[in-house]
Amino acid sequence: MTDGSLDASDPRTLPGFFDALADGDLLGGVCTDCGQVLFPPRPACYACGSRAVDVEPQSREGQIFSYTAVQTPPPAFEADAPYTIAVVELANGGRLLGRVAADYADVAIGDPVELTVREPTAAEREVALDYEADWPVHVFEPR
């Protein structure tokens, strides 16, 4: 980061992160001071506070770190319940929260998964904020 200014196209902002994801690029922030991987990237490290954060491509492969089932979702997603969400530790060390394309009973800590990206459904677009409506949805697929 050179001058400290950001605009919405910068991957250290949520719009920039999701634009890159829509283009097929999973980008993470990497703190050059402590090595922490940040998802999504941001201008400052949440581990050490450094502003020396580079943006680098990250692996889409990882393993389940923690998971749960959503039994009572927001009304727009009632038809999807129950569904599984997980914190996935990616191969580069960062952790990312997302939906898992598997039933809760079929998931275990340590299971290998791979991040995929899809277009939002009509229900997802309907409940999204205006600027989020076209953001892709990331889903972890068991490997």
Side-chain angles (χ1 to χ4, degrees), residues 21-103:
L21 197 57
D23 291 339
D25 299 318
L26 176 61
L27 300 177
V30 179
C31 178
T32 60
D33 288 337
C34 75
Q36 180 70 45
V37 178
L38 313 166
F39 283 112
R42 58 205 61 190
C45 178
Y46 50 66
C48 73
S50 172
R51 291 192 147 310
V53 176
D54 290 337
V55 176
E56 299 176 5
Q58 300 294 308
S59 173
R60 292 172 170 263
E61 296 181 355
Q63 54 186 337
I64 302 288
F65 178 80
S66 180
Y67 66 102
T68 191
V70 176
Q71 301 289 341
T72 310
F77 303 110
E78 284 178 339
D80 295 345
Y83 55 89
T84 307
I85 59 170
V87 175
V88 172
E89 187 165 323
L90 296 168
N92 298 70
R95 292 181 183 159
L96 184 61
L97 177 70
R99 205 162 179 171
V100 179
D103 291 335

Side-chain angles (χ1 to χ4, degrees), residues 1-7 10-12 32 42-44 51-55:
M1 186 162 66
T2 55
D3 68 0
S5 64
L6 296 174
D7 65 19
D10 191 296
R12 288 167 289 193
T32 60
R42 58 205 61 190
R51 291 192 147 310
V53 176
D54 290 337
V55 176

